[in-house]
Amino acid sequence: MTDAWERIQIILEKSLKSGIFQLWIKPLQGSFDPDAKILRLQAPNEFVASWVRERLQSMILEAGQDVLGVTPELEISASRADEAASPLGSPEKAGASETRMHLPIQSNIQVVSRFRYSFQDFVVGPSNELAFVASRSFCREQVSSDQLFLCSSTGLGKTHLVQSMGNNLAGSSNKETLRVAYLTAEEFACQLIQAIKSKQVERFKARYRDQIDILMLEDIHFFQGKEKIQAEFLSTINSLQGQGKKVVLSSSFLPKELNDLDSNLVSRLCRGFMAVIDKPDLGTRQEILRQKASSLQISLPQEVSHLLAERIQTDIRQLESCLSNLVFKARMLKERITLEMALEVLKNYDLKEQNLDLEEIIRSVCRVFDLPREKICSKSRKKQHVLARNLAFYLARKYTGHSLKDIGRRFNRRHSTVLKGVANVEKEVNTDTPLGRQLKDAASRVMPN
């Protein structure tokens, strides 16, 4: 049943970031034994097989259950050709070849010339005006710095602005093809690890230092605690800027909030222009809805627009998603959009007010996870306890004015632990994974009584 693996891949492609899927899932060959209920995957080499076992096994099993109706046993092995060439084989074969690890590594940089977003469809308000002006000016070289750092909580528009800059720079360049590399910090790290394992570090360096004109890297906080990757990234941006090339970075945290980061890298991140995007006010949220409704070619009643903008205050993605689902429901039922219909759709969304009390968040998370308070504040590393604790970190960061240090103090945790917990939840809720859906569902139920 080869087609079973193909269907599982379709689910994984939707759940994983594009770079992760292309590098680790696409090279796998798969087959399913229905009698033994075994899903057998073959990787091009042991390095890829090991990485998939450690990082993606649970996601593959969950996707397999969706496709097959049962949870299969999973076997992941390397191709025989790779095993024969492996320096971990017999003593006679050790050292026979230094370059036989056929990793899914790109020989040339993947140039991005088309982006989903543009400045024209970005709604400007008091919360994001500085970031918008800085981004536009950066493209027009009206900012003296060759580095721009955008910071905001999830769903407030930093990715929109980063992609808008890519669109603008690619469209206005006097070069026939402006070489723009756009990826996440996690994808950059994965590619570097592959290059080290396959002894192609020099090729990696050439790719990111010589073969591009602009580097656009999102989620910089992923580099925390990864010393070798930090060193290579610092050398990369120093090299690019030494050549007069531009660097655009984004993160959910300011450089000063990041921990386990080399002081030289922190200094470099602070050297360029930094702009923070805050939570949008009511007027900005209503204008976002008006523009979204216009793009969907529907007339949105004023009272419905006001209701949605009032109820969903802290996440633009949720706001736009809510409107899209409302429009879809109205069209499917062939009915007009009404206040009653909007209230029904809103039941599926996270409707907490912006200024929740931290104690209220802790109580609600404990209630949803059915945990006593002492467990969420304990040193326990049980999966359920960690999930609940990280969700509380995330909600406290998003809906209160407390600093990471204040939140950590309340949970008997260090600032760095809170930051990692917030980053982990943000990563999951922004992807359509089983864990991401679980966390989003839990967050939607963490409501004040």
Side-chain angles (χ1 to χ4, degrees):
M1 292 182 65
T2 307
D3 64 327
W5 172 238
E6 291 174 355
R7 284 181 284 149
I8 291 170
Q9 281 185 306
I10 291 171
I11 293 175
L12 293 171
E13 187 172 13
K14 293 176 181 177
S15 302
L16 294 167
K17 290 185 177 179
S18 175
I20 300 295
F21 178 82
Q22 293 294 329
L23 290 171
W24 303 107
I25 296 296
K26 199 168 183 180
L28 302 177
Q29 301 295 318
S31 62
F32 177 62
D33 182 342
D35 297 324
K37 295 184 173 55
I38 297 174
L39 178 63
R40 295 186 174 92
L41 302 181
Q42 189 173 81
N45 53 68
E46 183 53 39
F47 173 62
V48 174
S50 176
W51 202 97
V52 171
R53 284 190 209 104
E54 292 176 8
R55 309 287 185 88
L56 300 176
Q57 182 165 308
S58 61
M59 291 189 66
I60 293 172
L61 286 172
E62 287 170 352
Q65 185 177 29
D66 288 346
V67 169
L68 304 168
V70 295
T71 302
E73 183 180 338
L74 186 61
E75 291 182 0
I76 306 173
S77 60
S79 66
R80 291 183 181 179
D82 177 71
E83 290 169 359
S86 171
L88 300 177
S90 64
E92 300 81 34
K93 292 177 182 176
S97 172
E98 292 185 350
T99 58
R100 292 188 184 177
M101 290 186 76
H102 305 295
L103 293 170
I105 204 166
Q106 298 167 335
S107 58
N108 295 308
I109 197 73
Q110 184 176 0
V111 175
V112 182
S113 57
R114 292 185 179 181
F115 294 86
R116 179 180 176 184
Y117 300 113
S118 68
F119 287 125
Q120 285 69 36
D121 50 26
F122 187 84
V123 178
V124 183
S127 60
N128 57 30
E129 185 174 15
L130 176 61
F132 177 79
V133 172
S135 300
R136 291 288 300 257
S137 301
F138 188 79
C139 295
R140 297 169 180 171
E141 299 187 351
Q142 294 171 339
V143 174
S144 58
S145 174
D146 53 7
Q147 176 182 302
L148 178 61
F149 189 103
L150 296 177
C151 175
S152 82
S153 296
T154 183
L156 294 184
K158 59 182 179 293
T159 293
H160 192 137
L161 284 179
V162 171
Q163 291 202 16
S164 297
M165 281 187 274
N167 243 333
N168 190 282
L169 288 164
S172 61
S173 172
N174 55 11
K175 284 190 171 187
E176 185 174 337
T177 302
L178 188 73
R179 298 169 299 178
V180 179
Y182 171 65
L183 67 165
T184 66
E186 183 176 5
E187 289 166 346
F188 181 92
C190 288
Q191 290 181 24
L192 176 57
I193 291 168
Q194 290 178 60
I196 292 170
K197 294 288 185 179
S198 60
K199 300 181 181 179
Q200 297 181 36
V201 174
E202 291 307 313
R203 180 186 292 185
F204 176 90
K205 289 180 179 180
R207 194 186 320 149
Y208 282 104
R209 299 181 192 184
D210 303 327
Q211 297 178 15
I212 63 172
D213 301 304
I214 300 168
L215 175 63
M216 312 183 84
L217 207 63
E218 296 225 59
D219 302 333
I220 292 298
H221 48 268
F222 181 81
F223 289 148
Q224 291 174 110
K226 301 173 175 65
E227 293 181 12
K228 290 185 178 179
I229 294 169
Q230 289 175 29
E232 177 57 33
F233 173 61
L234 178 58
S235 297
T236 296
I237 58 176
N238 282 338
S239 174
L240 288 171
Q241 294 178 341
Q243 301 172 63
K245 297 178 179 180
K246 292 179 179 290
V247 176
V248 177
L249 309 169
S250 81
S251 175
S252 299
F253 308 92
L254 287 166
K256 69 178 183 179
E257 294 180 304
L258 300 176
N259 205 20
D260 294 330
L261 214 62
D262 181 84
S263 58
N264 292 321
L265 180 54
V266 173
S267 176
R268 163 53 79 181
L269 294 178
C270 293
R271 195 179 302 177
F273 190 85
M274 289 191 289
V276 176
I277 304 173
D278 292 320
K279 296 166 186 174
D281 61 10
L282 179 63
T284 303
R285 298 196 299 273
Q286 286 185 302
E287 179 60 20
I288 288 168
L289 288 171
R290 189 193 67 77
Q291 288 202 18
K292 181 71 174 177
S294 176
S295 70
L296 294 172
Q297 299 181 325
I298 60 107
S299 176
L300 188 65
Q302 181 64 31
E303 64 271 18
V304 173
S305 173
H306 187 79
L307 173 70
L308 300 185
E310 257 197 344
R311 294 292 185 89
I312 302 180
Q313 301 183 9
T314 56
D315 191 328
I316 300 306
R317 289 193 194 125
Q318 278 202 72
L319 188 63
E320 293 184 334
S321 169
C322 183
L323 177 60
S324 296
N325 277 280
L326 178 59
V327 172
F328 179 75
K329 182 173 183 176
R331 285 176 174 166
M332 289 294 291
L333 297 176
K334 297 182 179 179
E335 296 178 0
R336 289 187 309 106
I337 292 176
T338 63
L339 206 57
E340 291 71 23
M341 186 184 292
L343 285 167
E344 282 297 314
V345 173
L346 277 167
K347 290 179 181 178
N348 301 320
Y349 288 85
D350 186 2
L351 306 178
K352 290 164 295 302
E353 296 298 319
Q354 283 180 280
N355 298 312
L356 284 181
D357 179 74
L358 181 52
E359 287 301 319
E360 191 173 33
I361 288 173
I362 295 172
R363 285 196 302 271
S364 297
V365 169
C366 289
R367 173 173 52 80
V368 168
F369 282 84
D370 194 23
L371 293 174
R373 181 193 170 92
E374 57 267 23
K375 292 296 183 184
I376 202 172
C377 296
S378 72
K379 299 295 183 183
S380 170
R381 298 299 302 164
K382 286 186 177 179
K383 182 179 179 181
Q384 199 73 347
H385 298 169
V386 172
L387 283 178
R389 193 179 300 130
N390 285 349
L391 182 63
F393 293 161
Y394 169 78
L395 295 173
R397 168 76 176 189
K398 188 170 183 179
Y399 295 107
T400 76
H402 290 292
S403 67
L404 295 171
K405 188 174 289 186
D406 289 339
I407 296 168
R409 192 178 299 120
R410 196 69 64 91
F411 287 86
N412 302 314
R413 292 297 192 283
R414 290 179 298 178
H415 141 283
S416 59
T417 304
V418 177
L419 193 152
K420 288 176 183 176
V422 173
N424 285 339
V425 174
E426 279 197 348
K427 177 184 173 183
E428 293 297 338
V429 299
N430 286 325
T431 56
D432 187 25
T433 63
L435 179 57
R437 290 193 292 271
Q438 179 189 349
L439 287 168
K440 278 187 279 192
D441 177 64
S444 70
R445 290 187 286 123
V446 178
M447 299 288 292
N449 290 322

